[in-house]
Amino acid sequence: MSCVRYYAIALALLCLLLTVQLSSTQRCGKRKVVNFLIVNGKESKDGYWPWHAAIFHHNYLTSVYACGGTILSQNAVLTAAHCVMTTNGIIARKRVIVQVGRNRLGVATKRVEEHEAFELIVHPGYNGNDFQHDIALIKLATDITYTNYIQPICLWNRGEDLHTIIGSWGTVIGFGLDENDTVSQTLREASVLVVSHIACIESNREVFSHALTSNMLCAGNRDGISACNGDSGGGLFFNYNDVWFIRGMVSFTKPRQHGNNCDPKEYTAFTDVAKYLKWIEQHIPETSEQQRVAENDSSTKIGLLPMSTCGANTRKTRDESSKPVLLGYPWMGLMQGKIAPSKRDYDIALIRLRDRADTSQSNVKPICLPVTSELRSPHEPYYIVTLWYQYWLEKDNDHKLERSLHEVIELSKCQKQYKANMIDITAHHICVDQNQEPCNLPFPSAPLQLLQRVQGEYRYVLHGISSFRMPCHGLLPEVYINVAHFVDWILDNIEV
């Protein structure tokens, strides 16, 4: 997405990002220092995951490492329910020790704090015979002291819809078993891909077809890098606007054929923390304040966008197909320079203008961005595309602005169609049908738009930027970058 008004090869969109520096009041999910396990994961840096907690079970005169956890507040840690259970029920709270600020298990430092458990709260729906509702809270007997190496995580504030993160990469951390099947002495981290429930079940029906539920998410690479024994209860984290949020929590995976240790070539099932926010806030009320601060921070940034003037719909009473194209979409432009075709997952960029665009002109207006959860989850069956076509068969290589309506192609169907062409389609993409002459080549970055209600009026909202299509192949869908996945990145790059 570009904010430029030049004429030539590539399409540009006027999004009018007002550029100012923001002071952050965020209190959670911020780094202060610049299963089961993470098999083959890389060692993390001190202070890189200040919300991670190590949970130990006290047995007579010794304490044994058991699970991971995540700091929610000064006196509460989130973990998996099975991490605080025994064959006889919930473990005695006096046997639970929580350490925070620890990056190495066997090294004592002044950064580490140790806390006893005051109360163990297991979700009432948890059943020891399966992993349903595998979530628990540990209330601490003493308050955590926040330092550069000890901080709380932010709870997920981006809605429960799992489809918004399928195809995204999260980071899972822990002290679990390493590639030598021994407890890692150093906290490890690994990037894992979130996959759909269908993909997870198809990978191993015996394990996931009965156990996987809508309150779980599935992630992994199936390449030897995986959560494993000892990583249970640890978080799956995502970064938005330089703030970290917990979305998943390690619950279970398939054991190897011989033994009880994890199989790093299989996916891992995570408890979907987003489905339990009300339950968490019921027991830890202070987390709602952290949510409010995070949401206010996002709202402040959204307030910098021209929401009251964006996406102007000047002919509200007419059907889209009957509206004049000329001056009907004043955010359209052309950018000079040759652009190589791309099939990359993150095919998106911003261009900062030297001078502000004069939006007082009727032919220069900004388009809206899908900045709210409602705007990011449209249910319309088609999108509006406006784009410059180049008719190569004409002698003067004429450029013509056109509009067309395109039906949405289900992402799973699009993925299967492109798989034969060795092209990966992910949640960062939107697929629509081709309904234009296949050899009339459009310029890159054509906008995929919808009319949606913004501040009480129906306005044009940008949802996609054309990335690629198979030339002269009308059977394959056109592929667009899903702008909703990058709104936070756009807001994060607003500067003076």
Side-chain angles (χ1 to χ4, degrees):
M1 184 171 21
S2 307
C3 305
V4 179
R5 289 189 297 133
Y6 294 101
Y7 295 94
I9 299 296
L11 179 67
L13 303 176
L14 183 64
C15 39
L16 198 66
L17 299 180
L18 304 184
T19 53
V20 298
Q21 285 285 2
L22 299 174
S23 60
S24 176
T25 57
Q26 186 68 43
R27 298 192 186 97
C28 60
K30 297 287 288 186
R31 286 173 175 160
K32 303 297 182 179
V33 175
V34 176
N35 225 348
F36 302 2
L37 148 134
I38 309 306
V39 178
N40 294 328
K42 62 181 180 180
E43 294 183 0
S44 67
K45 299 177 182 178
D46 287 349
Y48 218 55
W49 307 104
W51 33 84
H52 186 71
I55 298 171
F56 296 80
H57 290 173
H58 189 69
N59 298 318
Y60 301 105
L61 300 178
T62 63
S63 292
V64 179
Y65 172 77
C67 282
T70 305
I71 301 171
L72 296 185
S73 70
Q74 286 189 290
N75 63 3
V77 168
L78 181 70
T79 190
H82 72 266
C83 288
V84 293
M85 300 295 294
T86 68
T87 55
N88 297 320
I90 300 177
I91 191 172
R93 63 176 179 83
K94 293 183 178 180
R95 292 183 54 199
V96 176
I97 300 295
V98 177
Q99 293 187 357
V100 295
R102 182 171 286 287
N103 203 63
R104 292 171 179 80
L105 279 183
V107 179
T109 71
K110 294 181 179 179
R111 298 172 182 168
V112 178
E113 295 180 19
E114 183 171 289
H115 299 268
E116 296 179 356
F118 172 75
E119 183 181 8
L120 304 178
I121 305 172
V122 175
H123 192 281
Y126 176 73
N127 185 329
N129 296 322
D130 55 33
F131 289 93
Q132 306 306 311
H133 307 295
D134 190 14
I135 187 170
L137 295 166
I138 302 176
K139 285 195 172 183
L140 305 177
T142 50
D143 283 353
I144 293 171
T145 300
Y146 293 149
T147 69
N148 286 348
Y149 300 90
I150 303 171
Q151 291 290 314
I153 192 63
C154 287
L155 288 173
W156 193 260
N157 65 350
R158 309 174 61 78
E160 295 183 9
D161 189 357
L162 183 61
H163 290 88
T164 60
I165 61 168
I166 292 175
S168 300
W169 291 85
T171 303
V172 60
I173 60 177
F175 287 108
L177 300 184
D178 60 19
E179 54 272 18
N180 298 315
D181 285 342
T182 59
V183 174
S184 175
Q185 292 302 299
T186 303
L187 187 63
R188 290 191 171 194
E189 62 185 71
S191 295
V192 292
L193 182 69
V194 180
V195 300
S196 68
H197 277 50
I198 293 175
C200 195
I201 292 171
E202 289 181 346
S203 73
N204 195 315
R205 290 186 175 275
E206 180 183 356
V207 173
F208 295 112
S209 62
H210 301 293
L212 200 65
T213 72
S214 60
N215 291 321
M216 302 176 185
L217 60 88
C218 193
N221 307 322
R222 306 188 73 194
D223 61 355
I225 299 177
S226 169
C228 194
N229 305 60
D231 287 321
S232 290
L236 177 64
F237 305 105
F238 294 83
N239 186 292
Y240 297 98
N241 301 328
D242 200 29
V243 177
W244 288 90
F245 296 83
I246 184 170
R247 176 62 193 257
M249 187 171 56
V250 178
S251 182
F252 72 92
T253 191
K254 176 187 178 297
R256 296 171 208 169
Q257 188 172 2
H258 302 289
N260 296 319
N261 290 345
C262 72
D263 185 344
K265 297 295 180 70
E266 297 284 349
Y267 288 124
T268 299
F270 295 77
T271 300
D272 190 347
V273 177
K275 303 294 175 61
Y276 296 92
L277 296 184
K278 291 183 179 179
W279 178 77
I280 293 172
E281 291 173 5
Q282 175 186 345
H283 296 283
I284 317 293
E286 56 266 37
T287 57
S288 61
E289 170 63 17
Q290 293 178 348
Q291 290 289 87
R292 185 190 64 79
V293 172
E295 291 169 1
N296 287 347
D297 183 63
S298 177
S299 297
T300 300
K301 293 184 178 182
I302 292 172
L304 298 172
L305 300 175
M307 299 301 294
S308 61
T309 59
C310 65
N313 179 19
T314 57
R315 293 172 174 82
K316 300 180 178 64
T317 60
R318 299 180 64 170
D319 293 334
E320 195 66 31
S321 58
S322 66
K323 294 178 183 178
V325 177
L326 184 64
L327 300 182
Y329 309 92
W331 37 88
M332 299 288 294
L334 286 172
M335 184 176 68
Q336 186 175 9
K338 294 184 177 180
I339 305 248
S342 172
K343 298 186 179 80
R344 296 184 181 275
D345 202 12
Y346 296 88
D347 188 17
I348 188 170
L350 292 172
I351 296 177
R352 187 169 293 116
L353 296 178
R354 178 180 298 175
D355 301 312
R356 287 181 177 270
D358 183 5
T359 58
S360 65
Q361 302 179 69
S362 61
N363 63 331
V364 182
K365 299 294 180 183
I367 193 170
C368 298
L369 294 175
V371 294
T372 65
S373 58
E374 292 79 10
L375 293 176
R376 294 180 188 187
S377 304
H379 301 288
E380 284 73 7
Y382 68 87
Y383 285 95
I384 305 159
V385 176
T386 49
L387 69 170
W388 294 97
Y389 268 99
Q390 185 162 5
Y391 291 86
W392 297 100
L393 299 180
E394 298 188 16
K395 294 181 180 180
D396 58 355
N397 287 340
D398 188 28
H399 301 158
K400 184 179 179 182
L401 182 62
E402 295 187 356
R403 173 196 52 232
S404 56
L405 303 181
H406 293 250
E407 291 186 4
V408 178
I409 302 296
E410 188 178 348
L411 196 61
S412 59
K413 180 179 178 181
C414 186
Q415 289 172 328
K416 291 179 180 178
Q417 288 179 288
Y418 271 99
K419 188 175 183 180
N421 294 277
M422 305 298 290
I423 297 174
D424 291 329
I425 304 298
T426 73
H428 294 141
H429 295 123
I430 297 174
C431 296
V432 299
D433 70 316
Q434 288 196 41
N435 61 8
Q436 295 284 339
E437 291 296 326
C439 288
N440 292 340
L441 301 179
F443 289 125
S445 297
L448 198 67
Q449 305 150 99
L450 277 178
L451 276 172
Q452 294 176 281
R453 189 175 289 277
V454 178
Q455 295 190 352
E457 296 183 7
Y458 279 98
R459 302 172 181 271
Y460 290 95
V461 179
L462 178 67
H463 279 270
I465 301 171
S466 64
S467 182
F468 66 90
R469 71 170 180 171
M470 301 299 287
C472 303
H473 197 313
L475 297 179
L476 286 175
E478 295 184 15
V479 180
Y480 289 73
I481 290 296
N482 191 338
V483 172
H485 280 264
F486 299 94
V487 168
D488 298 290
W489 170 77
I490 293 169
L491 294 176
D492 197 37
N493 282 277
I494 298 177
E495 298 177 0
V496 174

